[in-house]
Amino acid sequence: MKTNYKVLFILPLLWSCSNDTQEEYKDIPIAFEVPSNFPPLAYDLENNPITEKGFELGKKLFYDGRLSSDGTISCGFCHEQQYAFTHHGHTVSHGINGLSGTRNSPSIQNLAFQNTFMYDGATEHLNLQPIIPITSEVEMDGNFSQIVAIMNADAEYKRLFGLAFPGKPINTENMLKAMGQFMAMVTSSNSRFDKFRRNETGGALSSTELEGYALFNQKCANCHVTDLFTDHAFRNNGLAVNSLVDDVGRYRVTLVDADKYKFKVPSLRNVEKTKPYMHDGRFLTLDAVLDHYASGVVNSPTLDQSLNNNGTLGIPLTALEKTKIIAFLKTLTDYQYLTDIRFSEL
């Protein structure tokens, strides 16, 4: 296997300056490295090249509660790094004034390799994705005019915008570009499984984990493909409809009947850390997830064909097979990503 190669964009890395020289006022491009076991980038780095100050600005915005109407809810509130940027322990996201949404917070990882975002694919551009939670009445309930006013009155924001986007205004467009740079850089690619795939030190898998990997490829890899562990498709995986919410998934965007109850296939990277599971957080354990696929799939007109084998629903799984698959899934935990100080609030 190949090792990581230094990607597509060979750019100089940042070196900080201790002296107050002209270097302090320069914004330096950051090299984006595509792991050798990953597919090509989807994010357009030419239209929004990632720079040191752009990334720093995006990170500041990501963790700033002032983007919400009550000044308390930041993006990072629902996306905690140690839990793969999910809202740990919450079935659905909690926003301003203790209000609850209807969906579980998806992980922020490897977004630069994706073309659609949110469980229903409500946006097809990473730079536009933050608009949805920021303006949601039950999440951040933010107002972009007010946010821009806050940034224009803040000395640190004025400094960072001036460096990241010299000669350009402090506005919503550049704010979203900076957030896109930060989110694009949040990459998970150094789990034990990755090291196994790249023949790197620390990549040994046990016999149980290898057997779990083989079972995973037989029974799960139809949807959780490539080393990103998602095909980015929208599928109905046979969940019983929650009558209190009746979230119709992709249909909300397309209004096509064939898309009812279809949700984007999530990546399984760091799945050990992202409970609860499914778009509404209904399952609290990986065992419960596999139990669903083994015996809990509900038939419907839009059920994914991979879960209906001539009238037999679900995926046949023995107790031992479940144990082995879960052992494999835990090799996808990337502790470097979970603790990387570049992505941390402090």
Side-chain angles (χ1 to χ4, degrees):
M1 297 282 181
K2 297 185 292 182
T3 57
N4 278 12
Y5 61 89
K6 291 185 183 179
V7 235
L8 305 179
F9 299 87
I10 309 299
L11 302 170
L13 293 174
L14 171 71
W15 293 93
S16 61
C17 300
S18 56
N19 296 324
D20 186 13
T21 67
Q22 289 185 347
E23 291 300 313
E24 181 181 353
Y25 303 101
K26 292 182 179 179
D27 193 14
I28 300 175
I30 295 177
F32 190 108
E33 295 191 0
V34 176
S36 61
N37 57 317
F38 272 30
L41 274 175
Y43 192 72
D44 188 351
L45 290 179
E46 291 187 1
N47 283 333
N48 189 27
I50 299 172
T51 66
E52 186 266 341
K53 293 304 178 185
F55 173 86
E56 185 180 345
L57 173 58
K59 176 179 172 178
K60 179 175 173 63
L61 288 160
F62 185 85
Y63 287 111
D64 194 341
R66 292 179 295 172
L67 272 60
S68 67
S69 62
D70 66 1
T72 65
I73 306 297
S74 68
C75 300
F77 178 80
C78 288
H79 298 282
E80 302 172 67
Q81 182 181 9
Q82 62 182 319
Y83 303 113
F85 290 96
T86 61
H87 206 179
H88 180 68
H90 294 273
T91 55
V92 295
S93 296
H94 290 242
I96 62 162
N97 301 318
L99 294 174
S100 296
T102 59
R103 293 178 179 171
N104 181 255
S105 292
S107 178
I108 293 177
Q109 56 183 355
N110 303 329
L111 300 184
F113 299 89
Q114 303 178 35
N115 285 312
T116 56
F117 307 92
M118 313 299 285
Y119 282 111
D120 54 14
T123 182
E124 296 180 349
H125 200 298
L126 181 57
N127 293 0
L128 301 180
Q129 186 279 331
I131 295 174
I132 298 171
I134 289 174
T135 59
S136 168
E137 294 179 353
V138 297
E139 292 187 58
M140 298 172 71
D141 192 34
N143 179 291
F144 277 106
S145 295
Q146 295 174 4
I147 293 169
V148 169
I150 288 171
M151 293 187 297
N152 273 289
D154 185 291
E156 181 63 7
Y157 272 130
K158 290 169 72 173
R159 184 184 75 84
L160 287 173
F161 269 98
L163 292 170
F165 303 102
K168 296 182 179 179
I170 298 176
N171 59 16
T172 301
E173 178 185 356
N174 291 325
M175 166 191 169
L176 293 173
K177 281 185 174 181
M179 296 184 80
Q181 290 184 40
F182 173 74
M183 292 188 294
M185 282 294 292
V186 180
T187 302
S188 173
S189 62
N190 284 296
S191 66
R192 190 151 50 91
F193 171 78
D194 291 303
K195 295 173 182 178
F196 163 77
R197 287 279 287 156
R198 299 191 297 252
N199 281 336
E200 294 175 357
T201 302
L205 301 187
S206 70
S207 58
T208 299
E209 292 163 346
L210 287 170
E211 289 169 12
Y213 183 33
L215 286 165
F216 178 89
N217 284 329
Q218 294 169 18
K219 298 175 180 286
C220 311
N222 185 57
C223 302
H224 298 284
V225 300
T226 78
D227 286 0
L228 293 181
F229 292 92
T230 174
D231 63 357
H232 310 297
F234 299 89
R235 299 175 184 267
N236 178 345
N237 65 343
L239 294 172
V241 175
N242 182 336
S243 59
L244 296 177
V245 177
D246 194 23
D247 189 340
V248 292
R250 181 68 170 160
Y251 175 81
R252 289 178 57 182
V253 175
T254 67
L255 301 180
V256 174
D257 285 342
D259 286 334
K260 283 186 175 178
Y261 305 110
K262 291 184 177 181
F263 296 87
K264 186 177 179 182
V265 176
S267 170
L268 297 181
R269 285 184 162 273
N270 299 291
V271 71
E272 177 187 11
K273 302 293 184 180
T274 61
K275 65 180 181 182
Y277 305 105
M278 303 300 173
H279 69 275
D280 56 6
R282 68 177 66 192
F283 298 133
L284 301 181
T285 66
L286 289 172
D287 294 275
V289 171
L290 293 184
D291 287 344
H292 161 73
Y293 285 113
S295 59
V297 170
V298 175
N299 200 6
S300 71
T302 62
L303 178 67
D304 197 81
Q305 288 302 302
S306 65
L307 297 175
N308 188 346
N309 184 17
N310 296 321
T312 301
L313 303 180
I315 302 170
L317 289 167
T318 66
L320 181 58
E321 286 175 332
K322 293 175 190 175
T323 298
K324 291 179 178 180
I325 290 174
I326 290 174
F328 163 68
L329 291 175
K330 290 182 178 181
T331 71
L332 305 182
T333 303
D334 180 355
Y335 291 98
Q336 178 176 321
Y337 151 83
L338 297 173
T339 59
D340 194 326
I341 196 170
R342 293 178 302 164
F343 310 142
S344 301
E345 181 172 9
L346 301 176

